[in-house]
Amino acid sequence: MASENPDRAHAVAFTLNGEAVRAHVPARMHLGDLLRQSFGLTGVHLGCEHGVCGACTILVDGRAVRSCLMLGVQADGATVETVEGLTESGRIRDLQDAFHARNALQCGYCTPGMLVTAAELLDDADAATSREAIRAAIAGNYCRCTGYHAIVDAIASTAEARGQGRRDAGRDAGLEAAE
Amino acid sequence: MSADPGGLTFLDRPNSYIGRSVPRPNARRLLEGRGVYVDDVAVARLGHVAFLRSPHAHARIVALDTADAKAMPGVIAVVTGPELAAVCTPWVGVLGHFKGLRSAPQHALALDRVTWVGEPFCAVVAHGRAEAEDALAAITVEFDPLPAVVDMETALDPATPAIHAELGDNLAFERVLNVGDVDAAFRDAALVVEETFQFGRHTGVCLEPRAILADWAAADGMLTVHHSFQAPHMMQDILCKHLALPEGAVRVICKDVGGSFGIKVHIYPDEMATCALALMLKRPVKFVADRLESFQSDIHARDHRVTARMAFSAEGDILALDMDDLTGIGPYSVYPRTSAVEANQVVNLTGGPYRHQHYRARARVVLQNKAPTCQYRAVGHPIATMVAEGLVDLGAARLGLDPLAVRERNVIPDDAYPCAGVSGIKLEKLSHQAALAKLKAMMDYDGLRAEQADLRRRGIHRGIGLAAFIEITNPSAAFYGVGGARISSQDGCTIRLDPQGGVVASVSVTEQGQGTEGIIAQIVATATGVPMDKVRVISGDTQATPYGGGTWASRGAGIGGEAAWQAGKALRGNVLVVAGAILQADPESLDVRDGAVVDAGTGTERMPLAELGRIVYFRPDTLPPGVQPEFVATRHYVPKDYPFAFTNGVQASYVEVDTETGFVRLLKHWCVEDCGTVLNPLLVDEQIRGGIVQGIGGALFEHCLYDGEGQLLNGSMADYLVPMAGEMPDIAVAHVVSATASSEIGAKGAGEAGTAGAPAAVVNAINDALAPLNARVARQPVTPEVVLEALGLI
């Protein structure tokens, strides 16, 4: 028997989907379990709990992170966003629409992690958006249902639309400056 | 590419959704992280169960001390096999129509002997999973290891001990089929080719692990089970039988299911134990497999060794096929579908696309001390397809013929149907010739061959592989029911018109992501005349849906869809009778379109359905005398004229083999398949693509590795490779449409065609690439090591 109670809780405070939250976390509890069990964020899906499948991917301080590979106590002071937060903020609405239109999901279990990974890729305006680049970017997220083709299509069409939007915005800004 | 809409004219109602690429209504929920998988269900007083699993492939349990574990904090109960057996009776996985099939009684928790690494034999229920696992570590067990039967090649040797002494040996099932005069055909052949094919064990790797939450409410005598499962009514029936409960006392709910692929249609000891524990403890208990448990205890599949010969004429006619299949299934035939079905399908399907008349096949199914195997996506099909298609390519090469031309020459002609396949299977209507022609054009076969030859001259080794196949779909009662298994082959749909003019359709076929709820909504909208956004579909609840089989063997659209079509038509008929009475019109002169009763001839609106609903439900006093509205209609459907709706297809793979490293790069993949009426091209194409990638997994990556002692060597996702986006090619899909005349909607199944044909296409492509180097591979998965061995480099 270990001398220390493994369930002894530690106080943490962090920003979760835009709200300031506090929790008491057992030292051994990973962030994925904390988000699911203490905050009811069941969009965080646990597929393997050893960092391989990508289903539990969330954003921590803006970067995609495997929530099963990070302890809950490590979230102290961080900014954490899950698929629920990304949905409510509308930040990935176009991406979700593209997934829906293209049927880029079947069982939906990998989908939150896949969306978060794609969101990070698409946030980088300079990111290459070839099919190969998209395939490489999502190569850490298992999808057992779709065969990936539709997912690549959906991310590519979102990247194309956002790129067009940025070009339009740049052109409009240029016109205004000229006037 | 989408289906030929010409095949849909009989369904082309004014507001038909059938054949259109309509997005799935339920997908939005999943895209927002609002799915409800079993582990998301919140229940008060929940106990979490963790299982103590065997570390030995075969051992006697001499002593088991649970006292320390029982005293651990948070522990609710520690239960052993004999204790649980008082609540849950054992089962035996046999079918009456598989003559001679044998297995032994299997308990939810092993009693005194464990038979594979991972078999559960003791359970801890605690307030949290972590506490339950802490307590597992405090249990002491004394084992007496027994000899393990690991190698299926030696499992039948007299020197090998029988896993179950009462069976005498390890042969679970044997089937021999002998058609025509095989010996004469081989004797007279211009060419005979032979190969031994080895198929590694692999497993489903559903991203959501198996999960079950059982809640026993003693006060009202109700066991509610939330289950990540494909066949809720089957589970209900089995729980009633083995827990001694009446049918009405068990409700099984399968809401969102995170992948299944046949993995979640079997009876698992740990899941039965979870339900029994809920009864014993009179509180809810949840089990969610962790990934190691998934690899150790989800069913495996495909562990086969097949030696086969094919006889050819000098012109390239296939004359005869002779094969011997040996397969290992673990220590028990899995209940209730049995583990003999895969080998039986290999016998039924091998060479199925071709018109030869001489066929001999033997299949032997042996017991071994490894995880049990059973039905997984495309049961037996990848093996049957690989064996025949591998031999066809060998024959073509030896005869100096083009492999596509040999297939065109030998497939059963499109105008020959209905007919019987060489194994005796009844084939209603297939389209091999049309599919081959479409594939040839789609992939620019001749152009690709020219490119391949050009690159070969520059030292780049690319290969083109082809695979024609048939697929069993829409199974009737002939599959399981005749063998005594209580697995429903019929399905039902109940549709209710609500006061606002929308409909609720509840169906017994289930949703695991393939789009069942979407296609049912399309069919119901088309049949009733209600807009699709006013159709709500309910599935996966034994208390809320008609009785049925659920989703397996590619039957959701073809069987559940036809039930929905018939129910929708019946409801529309009922609506028109009442509308006719109110409008003083002949019901025959009316129709329902876009949510309104209209004049059938002109399309002029006569009355919105919402107005009809208002009158019927809230002012029935104003209805004409004698009019009794029945705005609920139920219909059931099961195919009767054919035991199965066979489908067909052909796949092609283009690969590049690095002859220094052995790595295979997939460049492109094509599939032409015929699933009858294509209800939604968006969904069908993604089913095909997903299936292909699972097939590629078996061909190149996936392998449950055991050592000589029966220890599983790769029980994590880091060690067990599945296809990832970076390695997969783009996949082109096209269809030929031969609607089945067995039903009005004409849909056959599409869920397994991709997995059925992909491995053979990929392996044939590898062998085509290696041909100039006089190397061949015949062992799956074709890892770089296998390629380098074939090249003689290691």
Side-chain angles (χ1 to χ4, degrees), chain B residues 480-617:
Chain B
Y480 293 115
V482 296
R486 291 161 64 90
I487 296 168
S488 176
S489 56
Q490 62 87 51
D491 272 283
C493 177
T494 295
I495 309 180
R496 183 184 76 212
L497 180 76
D498 282 343
Q500 288 187 350
V503 296
V504 175
S506 59
V507 291
S508 57
V509 286
T510 53
E511 170 75 89
Q512 291 90 39
Q514 68 278 66
T516 298
E517 292 185 4
I519 58 126
I520 296 294
Q522 286 177 268
I523 291 168
V524 166
T526 306
T528 59
V530 169
M532 202 172 143
D533 61 7
K534 289 195 167 179
V535 178
R536 175 72 65 171
V537 178
I538 295 169
S539 70
D541 184 343
T542 56
Q543 217 169 59
T545 65
Y547 206 93
T551 301
W552 44 274
S554 291
R555 59 193 298 287
I559 295 176
E562 180 69 11
W565 173 252
Q566 296 296 343
K569 284 204 315 179
L571 179 65
R572 180 159 51 97
N574 292 356
V575 163
L576 293 179
V577 167
V578 178
I582 293 170
L583 298 167
Q584 298 185 339
D586 178 358
E588 296 286 314
S589 72
L590 301 172
D591 194 7
V592 183
R593 294 176 195 167
D594 273 334
V597 177
V598 301
D599 183 273
T602 64
T604 308
E605 182 173 318
R606 301 290 302 275
M607 175 190 263
L609 285 178
E611 174 61 9
L612 189 65
R614 185 191 67 80
I615 294 169
V616 162
Y617 289 117

Side-chain angles (χ1 to χ4, degrees), chain B residues 94-118:
Chain B
V94 294
L95 288 171
H97 64 313
F98 283 19
K99 289 194 174 52
L101 172 59
R102 307 179 304 162
S103 187
Q106 185 177 12
H107 283 80
L109 294 177
L111 301 184
D112 55 4
R113 188 171 62 106
V114 284
T115 55
W116 82 90
V117 170

Side-chain angles (χ1 to χ4, degrees), chain B residues 342-421:
Chain B
E342 179 152 282
N344 196 59
Q345 307 252 96
V346 172
V347 171
N348 285 338
L349 298 173
T350 304
Y354 302 111
R355 53 182 166 70
H356 66 101
Q357 291 300 311
H358 306 285
Y359 178 45
R360 181 162 58 211
R362 177 172 72 154
R364 285 173 300 161
V365 177
V366 300
L367 302 170
Q368 49 180 185
N369 292 113
K370 295 179 180 176
T373 75
C374 203
Q375 277 75 295
Y376 163 58
R377 195 174 197 171
V379 184
H381 294 65
I383 290 136
T385 306
M386 181 72 252
V387 169
E389 297 303 289
L391 293 175
V392 167
D393 266 19
L394 258 180
R398 298 271 168 83
L399 292 166
L401 300 171
D402 178 84
L404 181 56
V406 171
R407 288 175 174 85
E408 288 169 334
R409 183 183 181 94
N410 281 287
V411 290
I412 299 173
D414 292 358
D415 62 4
Y417 301 97
C419 64

Side-chain angles (χ1 to χ4, degrees), chain A residues 1 5-7 28 33 36-37 40-50 52-55 66 83-85 87-88 92-93 95-112 114-115 131-132 134-153, chain B residues 21 23-28 30-35 37 39-40 72-73 130-131 134 138 202-209 256-259 261 290-292 295 376-377 511-514 682-683 686-687 689-691 693-694 697 702 715-718 720-732:
Chain A
M1 289 289 298
N5 173 8
D7 288 326
R28 65 177 171 176
D33 273 350
R36 289 178 55 82
Q37 294 173 21
L41 294 168
T42 53
V44 179
H45 292 161
L46 300 173
C48 70
E49 295 187 275
H50 48 255
V52 181
C53 78
R66 301 275 200 260
V83 71
E84 290 92 343
T87 298
E88 281 155 24
I92 57 169
R93 180 76 192 187
L95 184 64
Q96 288 165 319
D97 288 346
F99 267 62
H100 192 220
R102 186 57 190 84
N103 194 40
L105 71 160
Q106 286 181 24
C107 80
Y109 203 77
C110 76
T111 307
M114 194 70 83
L115 288 168
R131 294 181 76 79
E132 291 70 28
I134 293 167
R135 284 187 178 277
I138 62 170
N141 290 72
Y142 282 51
C143 172
R144 197 58 168 162
C145 299
T146 65
Y148 303 107
H149 187 119
I151 296 173
V152 175
D153 287 350
Chain B
S21 289
R24 289 154 52 199
N26 63 342
R28 180 68 69 185
L30 303 178
L31 279 160
E32 298 191 355
R34 303 291 184 193
Y37 304 88
D39 198 35
D40 304 337
M72 297 274 286
E131 289 166 313
D134 289 343
H202 52 101
T203 184
V205 199
C206 311
L207 203 45
E208 180 208 19
D256 292 311
V257 174
F261 320 117
D290 69 20
R291 193 48 65 178
L292 172 61
F295 280 109
Y376 163 58
R377 195 174 197 171
E511 170 75 89
Q512 291 90 39
Q514 68 278 66
L682 196 62
L683 303 186
E686 295 318 313
Q687 275 292 298
R689 289 194 175 98
V693 167
Q694 268 185 19
E702 301 187 39
S716 82
M717 277 192 180
Y720 179 100
L721 303 179
V722 303
M724 302 298 285
E727 298 122 15
M728 289 302 104
D730 279 343
I731 298 165

